[in-house]
Amino acid sequence: KPYILVATQRSGTHFVDEVLKRHPCIAMAGEVFFHDEDEYWTPARRHRALDLFFEERMRSRSNVDGNLLAEAPDDFYHEVVSFNRTQRGKSGAVVRGFDWKLSQGFLEDWAEWLREYCLKRSVSILWYQRRNLLRQHLSHRDMKKTGIAMVKQGQAYRRGKVSLDTRTLLSELRARRDLNGRVDRLLEHARSLGVRVKSAYYEDLLDDAKKLHNVVAFLLKGTDCLVKPRDLTSQLRNRKIHKGPLGDLIKNWDEVRDVLLQSEFSAMAQP
């Protein structure tokens, strides 16, 4: 059974990707459409890539080349072909999906072909968000500065404080909020048409094992998976980078807090 994890950048997908990969009945690939500096990916090519991915037909680069994706970015080959070569990709896991960021053509494709595709192919959508938009914005700015997207357990990493531009902060937070609202409405309409959709939040899955179980149950609904998973969050390989009070993470926290307190985002002003 196919599924797509839909999210924005820096919404905590490294966490949920790793957790889902640990379940014996769930096959989870990373960002199939990651890195597209040459603007290779068109709606038609992404459509073709989804067919090949869900049909498990890409087990070598020559196989992909023979399926009309000869010039696809190297990251695509690395992610999908290596995924299919792993035991998890070949083991017949009962559900199979990947991580698709909104910035990678999801919204463009939705109206053009993807909505009907999900209906015809019974593709489930897991819409994954972050409640605290300020922490997401902070994470995004820090990654832009350092180039570091994730840190492994035991890996040396010296975290520095990040300065946020208070002149543009509110407009950027509103843009994130409005984008999430747009996707909420789009997927609510899809749900009314018969597409299976579930919304989940990073903070909830991190803190509430029951809500994480509900996500797994959503993905496995209607399958014959009888495996009772172990604790999926114990001994994770990746560690959280921006952990702790915001005052310890944001260099100009006092300025940021003052701006937040005078806006609709005042709840995010808690340190």
Side-chain angles (χ1 to χ4, degrees), residues 47-62:
H47 190 167
R48 183 60 174 158
L50 253 66
D51 282 336
L52 297 174
F53 177 82
F54 287 132
E55 292 166 11
E56 304 183 46
R57 290 165 53 189
M58 295 187 288
R59 298 193 184 278
S60 69
R61 183 158 186 153
S62 61

Side-chain angles (χ1 to χ4, degrees), residues 12-69:
T13 51
H14 284 122
F15 167 73
V16 75
D17 283 6
E18 183 177 358
V19 168
L20 294 180
K21 285 176 182 177
R22 301 178 79 180
H23 195 289
C25 295
I26 299 175
M28 176 75 205
E31 296 179 41
V32 169
F33 302 121
F34 184 60
H35 282 169
D36 191 21
E37 288 85 353
D38 298 327
E39 298 184 353
Y40 169 83
W41 291 111
T42 62
R45 285 171 172 162
R46 286 191 292 263
H47 190 167
R48 183 60 174 158
L50 253 66
D51 282 336
L52 297 174
F53 177 82
F54 287 132
E55 292 166 11
E56 304 183 46
R57 290 165 53 189
M58 295 187 288
R59 298 193 184 278
S60 69
R61 183 158 186 153
S62 61
N63 177 227
V64 179
D65 289 348
N67 281 296
L68 308 180
L69 292 173

Side-chain angles (χ1 to χ4, degrees), residues 56-268:
E56 304 183 46
R57 290 165 53 189
M58 295 187 288
R59 298 193 184 278
S60 69
R61 183 158 186 153
S62 61
N63 177 227
V64 179
D65 289 348
N67 281 296
L68 308 180
L69 292 173
E71 303 299 325
D74 288 341
D75 285 302
F76 172 75
Y77 292 109
H78 174 76
E79 182 62 44
V80 179
V81 174
S82 63
F83 171 72
N84 282 335
R85 284 177 172 175
T86 63
Q87 186 60 37
R88 177 61 57 82
K90 295 186 293 185
S91 65
V94 295
V95 295
R96 175 183 178 87
F98 69 97
D99 181 349
W100 194 347
K101 296 296 192 294
L102 293 181
S103 60
Q104 297 165 354
F106 178 86
L107 290 173
E108 178 185 2
D109 291 355
W110 183 258
E112 186 165 333
W113 62 270
L114 184 55
R115 181 179 60 196
E116 292 303 314
Y117 184 95
C118 290
L119 280 168
K120 292 179 180 178
R121 296 286 300 268
S122 298
V123 179
S124 299
I125 302 288
L126 177 59
W127 168 218
Y128 187 68
Q129 304 173 62
R130 192 158 185 169
R131 291 190 183 279
N132 194 315
L133 299 180
L134 178 63
R135 284 188 177 268
Q136 183 179 15
H137 180 65
L138 163 67
S139 178
H140 178 76
R141 289 298 177 195
D142 193 33
M143 187 186 71
K144 288 285 188 181
K145 176 183 175 182
T146 64
I148 297 174
M150 63 178 177
V151 177
K152 300 288 187 185
Q153 294 288 357
Q155 179 181 345
Y157 175 71
R158 184 176 180 180
R159 185 188 67 203
K161 289 189 175 184
V162 179
S163 291
L164 299 182
D165 189 342
T166 54
R167 296 168 301 178
T168 60
L169 178 61
L170 294 181
S171 62
E172 290 174 304
L173 292 177
R174 287 167 183 147
R176 291 181 183 277
R177 177 197 62 193
D178 293 347
L179 176 60
N180 287 349
R182 178 186 172 191
V183 177
D184 283 338
R185 293 187 294 273
L186 178 149
L187 293 180
E188 184 59 37
H189 179 249
R191 186 184 286 111
S192 72
L193 297 176
V195 178
R196 293 188 69 242
V197 178
K198 183 173 182 60
S199 296
Y201 291 88
Y202 166 73
E203 292 89 345
D204 295 349
L205 303 194
L206 195 65
D207 298 330
D208 191 332
K210 184 177 180 180
K211 290 184 177 179
L212 180 58
H213 172 79
N214 290 341
V215 166
V216 172
F218 167 78
L219 294 177
L220 295 177
K221 185 176 181 179
T223 73
D224 57 358
C225 179
L226 301 177
V227 178
K228 293 183 179 180
R230 64 188 186 281
D231 179 8
L232 298 176
T233 60
S234 64
Q235 299 180 331
L236 294 176
R237 291 175 297 172
N238 299 323
R239 63 186 175 96
K240 191 174 180 179
I241 298 177
H242 303 102
K243 187 176 181 179
L246 287 169
D248 294 342
L249 304 173
I250 299 175
K251 194 172 186 178
N252 57 332
W253 170 241
D254 289 341
E255 297 174 40
V256 169
R257 182 180 56 194
D258 289 345
V259 169
L260 293 172
L261 286 173
Q262 299 175 54
S263 75
E264 65 271 36
F265 302 109
S266 58
M268 297 180 190

